[in-house]
Amino acid sequence: MKKASITIQMDAEKLRAVKRYMEKKDADITQELGDQLQRLYEKFVPANVREYIDESAEVTSVPAKKQKEKNRTNTKTDPSSNTF
């Protein structure tokens, strides 16, 4: 699934403090924010919409994988097919 970025603003001193104390607990701010965003998604997006999005992602990822595999096999040369 294609990824998107978001930007938020926070008081610099508070951000510095949260980063400092998270580091002491070996917590990653990016991972924690991602987890919180996932919880918001699950809380606010109706289940049927989440299911539709998941199914759409599966359908679009399968052809992309097949195309990559096809490209790999087409770029490989078969030594037995070389004729002189």
Side-chain angles (χ1 to χ4, degrees), residues 70-84:
K70 183 179 177 185
N71 288 343
R72 277 191 226 135
T73 57
N74 286 344
T75 58
K76 294 180 181 177
T77 58
D78 182 6
S80 64
S81 66
N82 290 339
T83 55
F84 297 93

Side-chain angles (χ1 to χ4, degrees), residues 37-81:
L37 194 55
Q38 180 65 32
R39 285 187 198 97
L40 290 171
Y41 171 76
E42 291 169 3
K43 180 178 179 178
F44 290 103
V45 178
N48 60 333
V49 175
R50 294 193 314 261
E51 184 179 324
Y52 174 78
I53 291 171
D54 290 342
E55 289 173 357
S56 296
E58 290 173 6
V59 169
T60 57
S61 67
V62 171
K65 287 180 183 177
K66 286 183 179 179
Q67 183 62 38
K68 285 181 184 178
E69 290 173 7
K70 183 179 177 185
N71 288 343
R72 277 191 226 135
T73 57
N74 286 344
T75 58
K76 294 180 181 177
T77 58
D78 182 6
S80 64
S81 66

